[in-house]
Amino acid sequence: MTERCDLLITNVHAATMDPSLPGAYGAIEDAAVAVTGNKIVWIGPRRELPESTADQIIDGEGQWLTPGLIDCHTHLVYGGHRAGEFARRLGGESYEEVARAGGGILSTVRATRAASAADLYRKAEPRLKALMNEGVTTIEIKSGYGLDLDTELKQLRVARRLAQHYPVNILTTCLAAHALPPEYDGRADDYITLVCEEILPAVAKEQLADAVDMFCENIAFSVEQCQRVIDAAHHLDLPVKVHAEQLASTGATRMAAKAGALSVDHIEYITDEDVAAMAESGTAAVLLPGAFYTLKETRMPPIDKLRAAGVPMAISTDLNPGTCPLGSLRLMMNMSCNLFGLTPAEALAGVTRAAARALGVCCSRGVLRAGLRADMVLWPMESPDQLAYEMGALQPAEVFFGGRHVTAG
């Protein structure tokens, strides 16, 4: 009996990133992939392909096929820019000094509050397109530049609208606990009450967020305050993520792991106890080498310890106007290798399998496997090592979103 599918790709090498297959990439050379609807229905060596017919057959010409890339930590929707702060940091001021002087996140808050939804959408489009043109098929977008009910909702609505107009999966995260707004100066506990009792319930009512995040740091919110946000999120059946241990060791990672957080992000200052807690809870580590690079940090995440403990290591752009205005996930792959010591295979896992884990969507994407979404990228390269090695010239030959060929527009 002949099997029928919508799309059949043959004469291709597949870097499946499936950990159940041998090798760092789970590679299948001279592979074939069959797609029906938006899912992979068969993948394996071409010689084992069942007799098949397809509405569309693509000759992969010996190129490499990978899962669609996943950017699991961005702040892509915002107003204004902070190029002036870039110059100030080059002049010797630290990120913390700039923030305490009224710059940093609060300067973007002012610009985002003043911007219309249409303006935020228009300015977000080229950032989104840049990522999509690199083969990104799933992206997380955080709020956190509103710090009041109306603007937080505005940011999240813009992110949802982007998903309606572009062939990319967008997951949204409410990061209302990002910084203390000026109108709550000296009243951090009161602001956390606003987040927990007004902003999060309103976000949940409109179904505008897939998760809740918070910035647990000395210049932001304490462990105790963030625990209140976690409790409120859990009450609303929303999973949590935590910006943790970027500037100092605070205990935020252990708090996040105990709460079953999807991920902890930045983590330059985590301890051995933090690593053990993450390994036990299954919480992913999100590495943000672009922020490390931009801020000229010297304290690196403990990669060897995370690796030894089996903690999934995701990689993301942290695309934002201040600490990482870099809209290239491929560049982050390269930085994770050169700055943090990841292997090229770990870097690709970090923007596919581990990134899906960090977003709680590993049951549907991040690996080329029968039953998962057919989000795939065809690359004109001779080895998947090239993805973390070669910048600029190496571009996707084809991008498939749910089995459909797409372009960013």
Side-chain angles (χ1 to χ4, degrees):
M1 178 179 177
T2 300
E3 300 288 339
R4 184 167 188 83
C5 60
D6 297 333
L7 170 67
L8 181 63
I9 304 174
T10 64
N11 187 24
V12 70
H13 306 305
T16 70
M17 306 314 296
D18 189 337
S20 69
L21 298 180
Y25 291 105
I28 303 174
E29 297 195 6
D30 192 14
V33 182
V35 175
T36 295
N38 64 3
K39 293 183 179 180
I40 298 170
V41 294
W42 192 91
I43 182 169
R46 180 165 50 159
R47 65 181 180 275
E48 298 177 9
L49 176 68
E51 186 178 351
S52 304
T53 62
D55 295 338
Q56 181 183 16
I57 299 176
I58 293 178
D59 181 350
E61 300 179 350
Q63 300 177 98
W64 279 87
L65 191 72
T66 71
L69 306 188
I70 300 171
D71 197 348
C72 63
H73 179 134
T74 84
H75 306 254
L76 186 142
V77 175
Y78 59 84
H81 67 84
R82 279 151 58 187
E85 292 180 19
F86 176 59
R88 288 170 63 184
R89 290 199 306 271
L90 290 175
E93 291 185 62
S94 70
Y95 172 63
E96 186 168 351
E97 287 170 337
V98 170
R100 293 194 183 281
I105 293 169
L106 292 183
S107 64
T108 299
V109 169
R110 291 190 290 271
T112 304
R113 287 179 174 182
S116 68
D119 190 42
L120 291 177
Y121 183 92
R122 179 178 59 83
K123 291 182 176 179
E125 283 185 294
R127 301 168 196 143
L128 178 63
K129 290 178 181 179
L131 292 169
M132 292 177 63
N133 285 333
E134 287 193 329
V136 172
T137 56
T138 296
I139 181 171
E140 185 250 26
I141 299 177
K142 303 179 190 294
S143 64
Y145 293 128
L147 310 185
D148 62 26
L149 177 60
D150 289 344
T151 316
E152 289 292 306
L153 293 176
K154 179 173 64 176
Q155 278 192 275
L156 293 168
R157 288 169 184 153
V158 168
R160 291 291 204 212
R161 184 181 166 210
L162 288 166
Q164 294 170 359
H165 291 86
Y166 285 91
V168 61
N169 185 53
I170 294 177
L171 293 136
T172 53
T173 298
C174 182
L175 180 57
H178 194 194
L180 187 64
E183 62 269 25
Y184 278 86
D185 187 29
R187 298 188 296 127
D189 286 336
D190 290 342
Y191 177 65
I192 291 298
T193 297
L194 176 74
V195 171
C196 295
E197 297 184 3
E198 294 188 36
I199 296 178
L200 291 184
V203 166
K205 183 177 180 179
E206 285 195 44
Q207 298 183 333
L208 288 174
D210 301 293
V212 172
D213 199 349
M214 61 218 72
F215 190 17
C216 191
E217 196 60 69
N218 294 332
I219 62 171
F221 299 103
S222 68
V223 168
E224 293 75 19
Q225 290 161 344
C226 288
Q227 183 64 59
R228 291 176 59 195
V229 178
I230 288 173
D231 293 341
H234 284 171
H235 179 72
L236 296 166
D237 293 324
L238 287 169
V240 297
K241 303 163 66 70
V242 181
H243 284 59
E245 265 89 25
Q246 179 185 10
L247 304 174
S249 179
T250 64
T253 297
R254 290 191 296 280
M255 171 192 67
K258 184 177 180 180
L262 293 174
S263 70
V264 289
D265 305 36
H266 288 290
I267 61 170
E268 281 88 340
Y269 283 83
I270 60 172
T271 65
D272 292 353
E273 292 78 11
D274 296 329
V275 173
M278 293 172 67
E280 182 177 355
S281 67
T283 298
V286 177
L287 308 177
L288 302 170
F292 178 91
Y293 164 83
T294 301
L295 295 176
K296 297 183 178 180
E297 297 287 355
T298 57
R299 174 74 172 255
M300 294 193 303
I303 300 300
D304 288 342
K305 293 177 180 179
L306 291 166
R307 182 187 289 131
V311 174
M313 292 185 288
I315 300 164
S316 186
T317 60
D318 193 16
L319 175 56
N320 73 75
T323 61
C324 193
L326 305 174
S328 172
L329 190 57
R330 291 276 315 290
L331 178 59
M332 298 306 115
M333 294 175 65
N334 179 272
M335 285 184 173
S336 72
C337 295
N338 280 319
L339 299 179
F340 291 166
L342 269 65
T343 67
E346 286 174 329
L348 184 54
V351 298
T352 55
R353 182 178 71 230
R357 178 78 166 270
L359 292 178
V361 295
C362 55
C363 61
S364 63
R365 71 203 69 208
V367 170
L368 299 181
R369 181 191 296 153
L372 301 193
R373 275 187 61 90
D375 294 346
M376 308 176 294
V377 187
L378 188 63
W379 302 92
M381 60 188 183
E382 298 178 11
S383 165
D385 285 350
Q386 290 175 251
L387 285 174
Y389 155 76
E390 187 175 336
M391 297 293 105
L394 179 59
Q395 298 291 324
E398 303 272 358
V399 178
F400 301 91
F401 179 65
R404 296 182 294 112
H405 175 261
V406 299
T407 61

